[in-house]
Amino acid sequence: MAIPSFTGNAHPYGGGDPYADYRTADFPFTGLANLADRRLGAGVIAANDEFFAQRENLLVPEPAEFDPEHFGHKGKIMDGWETRRRRGASAERPWPTADDHDWALVRLGAPGVIRGIVVDTAHFRGNMPQAVSVEGTAWEGAEGAPTPEELLSEGVKWTTLVPRTPVGGHAANGFEVTAEQRFTHLRVNQHPDGGIARLRVYGEVVPDPKWLATLGTFDVVALENGGAVQDASNRFYSPPANTINPGRSRKMDDGWETARRRDQGNDWIRYRLVAESEIRAVEIDTAYLKGNSAGWASLSVRTGEDGEWTEFVPRTRLQPDTNHRFVLDTPAVGTHVRIDIFPDGGFSRLRLFGSLTGQGTAELAARHRELGG
């Protein structure tokens, strides 16, 4: 449900910091992966209207920007998706009907179970929608990338994830999602019209077992393959989930960096692998971390939430701005991996190359079936 205090209009912009009166909350699901992340391959593939601001802005990873003096030929230029004002059918009925709404189709970057959605109306103060709703579907057609026309055809089943709910302007409107299903696409509706700055879709990646089996050897901790960060010692400068994002880091904050320690401890991240796996090779990349990379790192593995940790890469010196590769003499088998860095600092990416065990293959296939895959 939406946070009740966020409903209603925000105050007009009064100058100064445009985020000074922005309203948000600590939503319990925002620590999960953003399935609508462009870096995972997400996209807004269609919208019925984008007169004032283009639909692609919905998935920009950075917060929305606001320039009060930025106008174009169509009016105020906003950093979001904004449609024109709807009108009724006649002078006698100038108002839009209760069913009138605008929509956008979103392809998730990675299919998965959705635990929460944030519809962010930052800087849309008097031009946000009155209400929003969100539906989801799992595309199982012959082709893996459906057209907008195919998604909107009569045979596609849409599941309501967020019922029609009032939203507030200039606020992060959060919604918990309880549908225990795997989804590939969303239909985002704004009633009757207006603007949304950003869309975030938090959940758990559920990969296709057939695809992973065909790959054979793959990165068993990668976010796009179903890996996840469970916990970390420190998130001061950047989130630990960056370390399992696709591709190489592009800048320093595209990795994980901790605050400076002033004790004798060390920092760490704990990961859940896609399923039980045999790890045969490792990459630890410190790209763009030059004066603040970790000094040393070690890796441990365990099976189950309560299993004992076994070290499989001993404490090893790391170099700044370098991709380090390790080939294991004996595969490391387990469901969870922990990286310890000494004493602090950071790294940009962790890759664990291997394949699923027989047990891991069976468990992943069963979960895929349970979620409608």
Side-chain angles (χ1 to χ4, degrees), residues 96-141:
T97 70
D99 293 332
D100 285 344
H101 67 278
D102 292 319
W103 53 265
L105 294 178
V106 176
R107 179 190 65 245
L108 298 180
V113 179
I114 298 169
R115 303 300 184 191
I117 294 174
V118 172
V119 177
D120 188 348
T121 57
H123 315 304
F124 289 92
R125 296 171 179 269
N127 50 349
M128 70 287 185
Q130 182 183 38
V132 299
S133 62
V134 183
E135 303 158 278
T137 190
W139 178 259
E140 300 297 344

Side-chain angles (χ1 to χ4, degrees), residues 316-356:
T316 303
R317 179 77 194 187
L318 299 182
Q319 299 299 321
D321 196 29
T322 300
N323 191 22
H324 308 75
R325 290 179 170 175
F326 308 89
V327 176
L328 305 183
D329 294 331
T330 303
V333 179
T335 57
H336 297 73
V337 163
R338 171 177 166 138
I339 185 168
D340 285 270
I341 62 171
F342 302 89
D344 55 23
F347 61 97
S348 61
R349 295 290 188 271
L350 175 68
R351 304 298 187 209
L352 303 176
F353 296 105
S355 56
L356 300 183

Side-chain angles (χ1 to χ4, degrees), residues 78-196:
M78 297 293 289
D79 185 8
W81 168 49
E82 186 181 5
T83 66
R84 73 194 81 196
R85 300 187 188 217
R86 281 184 170 268
R87 297 293 185 245
S90 65
E92 291 72 27
R93 301 293 299 174
W95 310 279
T97 70
D99 293 332
D100 285 344
H101 67 278
D102 292 319
W103 53 265
L105 294 178
V106 176
R107 179 190 65 245
L108 298 180
V113 179
I114 298 169
R115 303 300 184 191
I117 294 174
V118 172
V119 177
D120 188 348
T121 57
H123 315 304
F124 289 92
R125 296 171 179 269
N127 50 349
M128 70 287 185
Q130 182 183 38
V132 299
S133 62
V134 183
E135 303 158 278
T137 190
W139 178 259
E140 300 297 344
E143 298 295 331
T147 65
E149 292 75 20
E150 288 173 323
L151 284 172
L152 296 173
S153 63
E154 292 184 1
V156 176
K157 176 186 175 182
W158 290 91
T159 299
T160 298
L161 305 181
V162 177
R164 182 169 175 169
T165 308
V167 293
H170 195 45
N173 300 272
F175 304 89
E176 183 180 8
V177 176
T178 59
E180 197 70 20
Q181 295 174 240
R182 178 179 181 267
F183 295 101
T184 62
H185 293 77
L186 300 184
R187 184 164 59 189
V188 180
N189 306 303
Q190 44 180 342
H191 308 268
D193 53 40
I196 298 170

